[in-house]
Amino acid sequence: MKKQAGLIVLSATLMAGLLAGCGSNSGSSTDKKDASAGNQTANSPKVTFKLAHTGSDTHQYNIAAEAFKKSLEEKSKGAMEVKIYSNAKLGSEKDAVEGVQNGTIDMTTLAADSSLANVVPEMNVFGIPFLFKGKEHVYGVLDGEIGKSLLKKVDEKGMVGLGYWEVGFRNMTTKNKAVVKPEDMKGLKIRVQPAPVWNEFMKSLEANPTPVNFNELYSALEQGVVDGQENPIATIMSMKFYEVQKQLALTNHTYTPAAVIASKKFMNSLNDEQKQWVQEAVQAATASARKTLADAETKSLEELKTKGVNITKPDAEAFTAVTKDVSKAVADKVPQDLIEKIKAAAK
C-alpha cells in the first residue's frame, strides 16, 4: 500500500509540472513571478512582448507606441509589458509585416499604404491623391465602418488589425528645386513607398518613382540617390530630412494612417481580459497621438523656416487635375466602391 501511495503522489507531482508548463507563448516572453511580487496571480504570468517600427525615437510611430505602452502597462497594473524596438532595429517595414505574419514579431505599426498594401491591396486607397478633404473626413473614415472593414482585410491575411495611429497629411520636399505647379515635378527622382499606387502617382506628375526603404531614406537624400521625397511635417522634423531637403511644398496630397497590426500567434496567447487591455490601449494611443501631433504642427512649420527651409503653397487644383486618373490605374487593387464610400463620408 505504501508503494502504491508513493506512485500516486509521484504521478500527481508530474501532472502538476506538466500543467504548469502549458500556455507559454514563443512570440512573447513571460515572467512567472509570485503574485506577491506584483499585481497578478500565479496563474496569470507577466506577458512581455515586442512592438517594432522603423521610425526614430521622435517619429509619429514612436509617439503613439510610447502612449500605447504607458496605457497598457497602467491598465494591466504591470501584468503586461511592451518592449519597443524603434529605428528599424528589427528590420524594414516589409520585414515587420513578414515578422507579424509568421509570429516572430508580436506587433508593429507602419504606413498603411506602404509594405502593408502589398499584402492587403485595399490599403493602396490611402495613396490615392486628394481623396481626403481634411482631418475630420479622415477620422470619420478611420474610426467608422470603412476603417473597420479595412482592418478585417488585415485579419484575412493572417494578422490582426487593431487600429490606426497618426502619420498625417503628406507634403513634397526637394533638395533645391521649389515646387509650385505640377510641371515642377517633371524628371525628378522622388522616393516612393513600395506600393503600386505610389508609382502611378509619381508617373502622373512625370516624376521618376524610386522605391527606398524608409530607414534608408535620409542617406538616399543626402547622397543624391533621389532628388526628393514626400512625408508629413512631423516626419520631416523627426527624421531630420530638412538637413538635406531645403524646399517644402505644402501639397497635402494624401493622408497616411499608421496601421497597428499584431500577430495571430501573439493575440491567441492572450486571455479575453488581456486582449481587451490591448485594444483599449491602442485606442488611447490613437487619441493621444492625434492631439500631440496636431499641437506640434504649426510650431514645426515655424521651426523649419528657421532651419533655412523654403516653404511654398502649390496650386492644389492643378495637382488634383493632373493626378485624377491614379485611382483608375490601381482599380485592380482598390475597389471603386471603396473610393466612393470614402468620398461620400466627406459629406
Short mmCIF file of all heavy atoms in Angstrom, two decimals, residues 249-272:
data_model
loop_
_atom_site.label_atom_id
_atom_site.label_comp_id
_atom_site.label_asym_id
_atom_site.label_seq_id
_atom_site.Cartn_x
_atom_site.Cartn_y
_atom_site.Cartn_z
N ALA A 249 7.01 71.79 -50.24
CA ALA A 249 5.77 72.20 -50.90
C ALA A 249 4.60 71.61 -50.13
O ALA A 249 4.48 70.39 -50.00
CB ALA A 249 5.76 71.70 -52.35
N LEU A 250 3.73 72.48 -49.62
CA LEU A 250 2.60 72.04 -48.81
C LEU A 250 1.46 71.55 -49.70
O LEU A 250 0.43 72.20 -49.87
CB LEU A 250 2.12 73.18 -47.90
CG LEU A 250 3.15 73.69 -46.88
CD1 LEU A 250 2.59 74.86 -46.08
CD2 LEU A 250 3.60 72.56 -45.95
N THR A 251 1.66 70.38 -50.27
CA THR A 251 0.68 69.80 -51.19
C THR A 251 -0.46 69.09 -50.46
O THR A 251 -1.57 69.00 -50.98
CB THR A 251 1.37 68.78 -52.12
OG1 THR A 251 2.20 67.92 -51.33
CG2 THR A 251 2.24 69.48 -53.15
N ASN A 252 -0.20 68.54 -49.27
CA ASN A 252 -1.22 67.78 -48.54
C ASN A 252 -1.93 66.80 -49.47
O ASN A 252 -3.16 66.67 -49.44
CB ASN A 252 -2.24 68.74 -47.91
CG ASN A 252 -1.68 69.46 -46.70
OD1 ASN A 252 -1.07 68.86 -45.84
ND2 ASN A 252 -1.87 70.77 -46.66
N HIS A 253 -1.15 66.11 -50.29
CA HIS A 253 -1.73 65.29 -51.35
C HIS A 253 -2.40 64.01 -50.88
O HIS A 253 -3.38 63.56 -51.49
CB HIS A 253 -0.67 64.96 -52.41
CG HIS A 253 0.62 64.46 -51.86
ND1 HIS A 253 1.64 65.30 -51.50
CD2 HIS A 253 1.06 63.21 -51.61
CE1 HIS A 253 2.66 64.58 -51.06
NE2 HIS A 253 2.33 63.31 -51.12
N THR A 254 -1.91 63.39 -49.83
CA THR A 254 -2.56 62.20 -49.28
C THR A 254 -2.45 62.21 -47.76
O THR A 254 -1.61 62.93 -47.20
CB THR A 254 -1.93 60.88 -49.78
OG1 THR A 254 -0.57 60.82 -49.35
CG2 THR A 254 -1.99 60.75 -51.29
N TYR A 255 -3.28 61.38 -47.14
CA TYR A 255 -3.17 61.19 -45.69
C TYR A 255 -2.75 59.75 -45.44
O TYR A 255 -3.33 58.81 -46.01
CB TYR A 255 -4.50 61.45 -44.98
CG TYR A 255 -4.44 61.08 -43.50
CD1 TYR A 255 -4.04 62.01 -42.56
CD2 TYR A 255 -4.74 59.78 -43.07
CE1 TYR A 255 -3.94 61.66 -41.21
CE2 TYR A 255 -4.64 59.44 -41.73
CZ TYR A 255 -4.24 60.38 -40.81
OH TYR A 255 -4.13 60.05 -39.49
N THR A 256 -1.76 59.56 -44.59
CA THR A 256 -1.31 58.21 -44.24
C THR A 256 -1.63 57.90 -42.79
O THR A 256 -1.15 58.58 -41.89
CB THR A 256 0.21 58.04 -44.46
OG1 THR A 256 0.49 58.16 -45.86
CG2 THR A 256 0.70 56.69 -43.97
N PRO A 257 -2.41 56.85 -42.54
CA PRO A 257 -2.56 56.35 -41.18
C PRO A 257 -1.49 55.31 -40.90
O PRO A 257 -1.02 54.62 -41.81
CB PRO A 257 -3.95 55.71 -41.20
CG PRO A 257 -4.12 55.24 -42.61
CD PRO A 257 -3.29 56.15 -43.49
N ALA A 258 -1.10 55.20 -39.65
CA ALA A 258 -0.18 54.13 -39.24
C ALA A 258 -1.04 52.95 -38.80
O ALA A 258 -1.69 53.00 -37.76
CB ALA A 258 0.71 54.58 -38.10
N ALA A 259 -1.07 51.92 -39.62
CA ALA A 259 -1.84 50.73 -39.24
C ALA A 259 -1.16 50.04 -38.07
O ALA A 259 0.07 49.94 -38.03
CB ALA A 259 -1.93 49.78 -40.43
N VAL A 260 -1.95 49.61 -37.12
CA VAL A 260 -1.43 48.87 -35.95
C VAL A 260 -1.85 47.42 -36.12
O VAL A 260 -3.04 47.11 -36.12
CB VAL A 260 -1.99 49.43 -34.64
CG1 VAL A 260 -1.30 48.77 -33.45
CG2 VAL A 260 -1.81 50.95 -34.58
N ILE A 261 -0.86 46.54 -36.29
CA ILE A 261 -1.17 45.14 -36.55
C ILE A 261 -0.40 44.24 -35.59
O ILE A 261 0.70 44.58 -35.15
CB ILE A 261 -0.88 44.74 -38.00
CG1 ILE A 261 0.60 44.95 -38.35
CG2 ILE A 261 -1.75 45.53 -38.96
CD1 ILE A 261 0.98 44.50 -39.75
N ALA A 262 -1.01 43.11 -35.27
CA ALA A 262 -0.39 42.16 -34.35
C ALA A 262 -0.43 40.76 -34.96
O ALA A 262 -1.24 40.48 -35.85
CB ALA A 262 -1.10 42.16 -33.01
N SER A 263 0.44 39.90 -34.48
CA SER A 263 0.44 38.52 -34.96
C SER A 263 -0.69 37.74 -34.31
O SER A 263 -1.04 37.96 -33.15
CB SER A 263 1.79 37.84 -34.67
OG SER A 263 1.86 37.45 -33.31
N LYS A 264 -1.26 36.83 -35.08
CA LYS A 264 -2.32 35.98 -34.53
C LYS A 264 -1.76 35.09 -33.43
O LYS A 264 -2.44 34.81 -32.44
CB LYS A 264 -2.94 35.14 -35.65
CG LYS A 264 -3.90 35.92 -36.53
CD LYS A 264 -4.73 35.02 -37.40
CE LYS A 264 -5.79 35.84 -38.15
NZ LYS A 264 -6.64 35.00 -39.03
N LYS A 265 -0.52 34.67 -33.60
CA LYS A 265 0.12 33.82 -32.60
C LYS A 265 0.14 34.52 -31.24
O LYS A 265 -0.19 33.93 -30.21
CB LYS A 265 1.53 33.48 -33.05
CG LYS A 265 2.31 32.57 -32.12
CD LYS A 265 3.69 32.32 -32.71
CE LYS A 265 4.52 31.41 -31.82
NZ LYS A 265 5.88 31.17 -32.38
N PHE A 266 0.52 35.80 -31.27
CA PHE A 266 0.57 36.57 -30.02
C PHE A 266 -0.82 36.79 -29.45
O PHE A 266 -1.07 36.53 -28.26
CB PHE A 266 1.27 37.91 -30.27
CG PHE A 266 1.08 38.91 -29.16
CD1 PHE A 266 1.55 38.64 -27.88
CD2 PHE A 266 0.42 40.10 -29.38
CE1 PHE A 266 1.37 39.54 -26.85
CE2 PHE A 266 0.24 41.03 -28.36
CZ PHE A 266 0.71 40.74 -27.09
N MET A 267 -1.75 37.26 -30.28
CA MET A 267 -3.09 37.57 -29.78
C MET A 267 -3.80 36.32 -29.27
O MET A 267 -4.53 36.37 -28.27
CB MET A 267 -3.91 38.24 -30.88
CG MET A 267 -3.42 39.63 -31.27
SD MET A 267 -3.41 40.82 -29.90
CE MET A 267 -5.17 41.08 -29.65
N ASN A 268 -3.57 35.18 -29.92
CA ASN A 268 -4.20 33.94 -29.47
C ASN A 268 -3.65 33.44 -28.14
O ASN A 268 -4.26 32.61 -27.47
CB ASN A 268 -4.05 32.85 -30.52
CG ASN A 268 -4.92 33.09 -31.74
OD1 ASN A 268 -5.89 33.85 -31.68
ND2 ASN A 268 -4.57 32.47 -32.86
N SER A 269 -2.47 33.96 -27.77
CA SER A 269 -1.86 33.55 -26.49
C SER A 269 -2.44 34.32 -25.31
O SER A 269 -2.18 33.97 -24.15
CB SER A 269 -0.34 33.77 -26.54
OG SER A 269 -0.01 35.15 -26.45
N LEU A 270 -3.24 35.37 -25.59
CA LEU A 270 -3.79 36.21 -24.53
C LEU A 270 -5.17 35.74 -24.13
O LEU A 270 -5.93 35.21 -24.94
CB LEU A 270 -3.87 37.66 -25.01
CG LEU A 270 -2.57 38.31 -25.52
CD1 LEU A 270 -2.85 39.73 -25.96
CD2 LEU A 270 -1.48 38.27 -24.46
N ASN A 271 -5.52 36.00 -22.87
CA ASN A 271 -6.90 35.73 -22.45
C ASN A 271 -7.77 36.92 -22.83
O ASN A 271 -7.28 37.95 -23.32
CB ASN A 271 -6.98 35.41 -20.96
CG ASN A 271 -6.50 36.58 -20.08
OD1 ASN A 271 -6.76 37.74 -20.36
ND2 ASN A 271 -5.79 36.24 -19.01
N ASP A 272 -9.08 36.81 -22.63
CA ASP A 272 -10.01 37.85 -23.07
C ASP A 272 -9.73 39.20 -22.42
O ASP A 272 -9.84 40.25 -23.06
CB ASP A 272 -11.45 37.43 -22.79
CG ASP A 272 -11.91 36.30 -23.70
OD1 ASP A 272 -11.24 36.06 -24.73
OD2 ASP A 272 -12.93 35.64 -23.38
#
